[in-house]
Amino acid sequence: MSPEPLRLNNKSESPSAMAFLSRFFAAESAGGLILMASALAALIVANSPWSEVYFSTLHIKALGLSVGHWINDGLMALFFLLVGLEIKREMLEGQLSSWGQRALPGFAALGGMLLPGLIYVAINWGNAQTLSGWAIPTATDIAFALGVLSLLGKRVPISLKIFLSALAILDDLGAVLIIAIFYTSDLSTNMLLASLGVTALLVVLNRCGVKRLFPYVIAGALLWYFMLQSGIHATLAGVILALCIPLGDSNEGGWSPLLYLEEKMHPWVAFAVVPIFGFANAGVSLAGISPNNLLDPVPMGVAMGLLLGKQLGVFGLAALAIRFGLAKLPEGARWSQMYGVALLCGIGFTMSLFIGALAFPNAPHLVDEVKVGVLLGSTLSAIIGVMLLMKVGPKKN
């Protein structure tokens, strides 16, 4: 007997949709709080007598990859698999299934990617080495942002939480495309052809109506290996696998492989994969770093991109879309609350650190500077956003 699948349809008032959203926000918020704790723990350990053990452990090799690479290339493939499942589900029958639902988060996500990138480029203009990090401040960490938002309770309407999650999902889609296009290394033709062959097999499984997950999992593992060897970042295998897993008959009470897998993966990714990634990547030794180092192009570009670029880009393009009748202000929300949520979009922790490692693979000192910029920009965005939302309070009827 198949487990009863999750359901999410277009009617936000339906019990199944609200149950799904409640579980989603509960998991994301709790996961975000754990992620904050893991990032803080990494900073403490990296600046303690245990720092040498911490950094040396990440460089221990097993089966040809270091511990750090197994986390960033292996575990994070599961994160990207979940991201892909969420994107597909939302596009087919969720909060992004129609133009009206996509409009506001779509414009906001676009602004929140363009302006941070431009700010980073402006600060790093003329430096060919650091310019490759332009995409670092373009991503929002949904778990971290919703974790911070959860601290405010009912001060923020559910419509803004839905807006933030939809925006972050589109933001993740943009980050996936950026990684695929701009952060690939030298390609291996044979392994690339093997990857395309496995992708074709996954498409055939989908088109033939195969709903058992086992064949998809086996093919997905092969795809991950071939992509790891091909030069295209291996985590993208998770997204490709997700897009090939069928939604099934979710609206008719039938078996949905996609929703079942998403439900089962969500707690593991939120409470294990992402916190492990955060602990492995947030650790940066502050020894020798002075306030003057914060003015270096990379940390300044990342921090300003997240703090200023995100809030202005998200709120600015969303406000224009609303003003020209292309979208509507979320129900029950004030403009000031919308701005507060735009500030929280400057929390770019997980994906920003991930892109930073891809941007500077042979420059550890620049990766450390990225971490400083991400921590500074994300922390300031969170603090200022929470202060504003606490001051504004809920909208009175």
Side-chain angles (χ1 to χ4, degrees):
M1 180 177 179
S2 299
E4 182 178 348
L6 282 169
R7 298 179 180 84
L8 181 63
N9 52 40
N10 294 329
K11 297 180 180 179
S12 59
E13 69 274 8
S14 69
S16 61
M18 292 309 297
F20 182 93
L21 288 172
S22 297
R23 291 199 298 273
F24 174 83
F25 289 129
E28 288 289 354
S29 300
L33 297 176
I34 292 175
L35 177 57
M36 293 180 213
S38 68
L40 179 60
L43 273 175
I44 293 173
V45 171
N47 293 277
S48 75
W50 291 91
S51 61
E52 186 175 345
V53 175
Y54 171 81
F55 289 112
S56 62
T57 300
L58 293 175
H59 289 91
I60 294 175
K61 286 202 170 184
L63 300 176
L65 294 177
S66 68
V67 171
H69 277 106
W70 273 115
I71 292 171
N72 291 350
D73 293 345
L75 278 183
M76 285 301 284
L78 299 178
F79 169 80
F80 277 85
L81 172 57
L82 181 61
V83 167
L85 292 172
E86 290 177 344
I87 290 171
K88 182 173 181 177
R89 187 247 309 151
E90 292 288 354
M91 289 291 187
L92 291 178
E93 62 169 31
Q95 298 299 320
L96 301 172
S97 59
S98 68
W99 166 251
Q101 292 171 306
R102 296 173 192 151
L104 186 60
F107 282 111
L110 180 61
M113 295 185 75
L114 290 176
L115 197 54
L118 290 174
I119 288 177
Y120 181 94
V121 168
I123 293 175
N124 286 267
W125 190 256
N127 190 327
Q129 183 184 23
T130 62
L131 271 178
S132 60
W134 64 270
I136 296 169
T138 62
T140 294
D141 191 312
I142 183 173
F144 220 133
L146 285 174
V148 171
L149 205 57
S150 70
L151 301 175
L152 298 169
K154 294 183 179 180
R155 288 177 175 270
V156 179
I158 188 71
S159 62
L160 277 179
K161 294 179 181 179
I162 293 173
F163 164 75
L164 177 59
S165 62
L167 184 158
I169 287 171
L170 290 173
D171 195 274
D172 282 344
L173 177 58
V176 167
L177 294 175
I178 286 172
I179 292 169
I181 297 171
F182 297 101
Y183 295 105
T184 57
S185 55
D186 295 334
L187 297 179
S188 167
T189 304
N190 291 336
M191 288 299 173
L192 184 58
L193 289 174
S195 300
L196 293 174
V198 177
T199 301
L201 173 61
L202 285 167
V203 173
V204 169
L205 290 172
N206 180 286
R207 301 298 293 178
C208 290
V210 176
K211 293 183 180 180
R212 290 180 60 85
L213 286 172
F214 183 73
Y216 292 97
V217 172
I218 296 300
L222 287 173
L223 179 61
W224 177 85
Y225 174 77
F226 290 140
M227 292 190 75
L228 179 67
Q229 303 298 323
S230 72
I232 297 175
H233 204 272
T235 52
L236 297 179
V239 179
I240 294 172
L241 174 60
L243 298 179
C244 292
I245 292 177
L247 178 62
D249 303 321
S250 61
N251 288 326
E252 300 175 9
W255 165 242
S256 172
L258 186 151
L259 297 183
Y260 174 73
L261 184 60
E262 182 182 356
E263 181 180 31
K264 294 302 181 184
M265 285 189 62
H266 211 289
W268 287 99
V269 171
F271 301 128
V273 172
V274 173
I276 289 173
F277 171 84
F279 183 76
N281 287 273
V284 55
S285 175
L286 301 178
I289 295 180
S290 67
N292 290 334
N293 294 128
L294 299 179
L295 300 178
D296 289 346
V298 170
M300 179 60 65
V302 172
M304 290 298 98
L306 290 171
L307 178 60
L308 295 180
K310 273 292 183 181
Q311 60 170 296
L312 297 178
V314 168
F315 185 80
L317 218 53
L320 285 175
I322 294 172
R323 186 57 56 96
F324 287 102
L326 300 174
K328 295 181 180 179
L329 188 69
E331 184 178 354
R334 299 180 178 185
W335 280 102
S336 52
Q337 289 176 314
M338 184 81 172
Y339 192 77
V341 169
L343 273 162
L344 295 185
C345 289
I347 303 174
F349 193 78
T350 304
M351 198 69 82
S352 292
L353 290 177
F354 187 79
I355 295 176
L358 297 180
F360 307 119
N362 301 314
H365 68 289
L366 291 181
V367 174
D368 283 344
E369 290 192 349
V370 167
K371 294 176 182 179
V372 172
V374 169
L375 291 171
L376 180 61
S378 297
T379 301
L380 290 175
S381 296
I383 292 173
I384 299 173
V386 167
M387 290 176 62
L388 175 60
L389 289 169
M390 288 184 66
K391 182 177 181 180
V392 173
K395 184 176 181 179
K396 296 180 181 180
N397 296 323

